[in-house]
Amino acid sequence: MSSAPRKTLLIVDDSRVSRMMIRSLVTAHRPQWTIHEAVSGDEALRIVAESVPDHITMDINMPGTMGTDVAERISHEHPGLRMVLFSANVQDSHQSRARSMGAKFVAKPVNEKSVLQALNFFDEGL
């Protein structure tokens, strides 16, 4: 029996509660994954510049640089990286922008259902 692949996930969200929920739910379903966190898009860019994760969850509405702008920059520099954009703002423009960069849009709130949607999207890339 082979063990599940060891992946790295970067959680980007200015909400500590959202980061904790995503971390907790991902750890429950993918205990072998290594998880890093960033509280802003700018911090995410610094982390990705140092070490590219396998997957990213990105909040759209954060102070400073919008998550969609950060995601677009990262997807341009690392086209194979799988990203999920989380937002309570379900405007068509956010959803179509996510699709245009090959990312998945998942509506908040962060809960088991939304995190499982993200994990299923990540698994599609295997």
Side-chain angles (χ1 to χ4, degrees):
M1 182 170 140
S2 66
S3 63
R6 187 160 193 82
K7 299 284 184 181
T8 55
L9 170 67
L10 174 59
I11 301 167
V12 186
D13 201 309
D14 59 313
S15 164
R16 187 164 102 29
V17 172
S18 289
R19 290 193 316 274
M20 287 172 48
M21 289 283 297
I22 295 169
R23 175 184 282 274
S24 172
L25 291 164
V26 169
T27 299
H29 292 276
R30 303 289 190 279
Q32 72 282 10
W33 284 19
T34 301
I35 300 174
H36 303 282
E37 296 181 18
V39 298
S40 69
D42 294 330
E43 185 181 4
L45 290 171
R46 285 192 299 277
I47 290 170
V48 171
E50 292 172 15
S51 177
V52 181
D54 296 295
H55 309 300
I56 295 177
T57 63
M58 176 85 62
D59 184 28
I60 290 179
N61 296 312
M62 295 183 288
T65 310
M66 289 279 294
T68 44
D69 294 336
V70 174
E72 205 163 64
R73 185 166 156 191
I74 291 171
S75 69
H76 179 73
E77 294 170 4
H78 306 283
L81 198 149
R82 307 279 287 173
M83 269 188 283
V84 170
L85 302 180
F86 276 94
S87 183
N89 184 340
V90 295
Q91 291 179 29
D92 287 340
S93 60
H94 287 319
Q95 295 182 45
S96 62
R97 190 163 177 200
R99 276 191 304 276
S100 74
M101 66 179 95
K104 174 147 183 85
F105 180 92
V106 174
K108 280 188 169 183
V110 172
N111 56 32
E112 187 159 22
K113 179 183 175 191
S114 63
V115 171
L116 285 174
Q117 288 178 331
L119 289 173
N120 288 336
F121 176 74
F122 295 148
D123 290 345
E124 291 170 11
L126 297 177

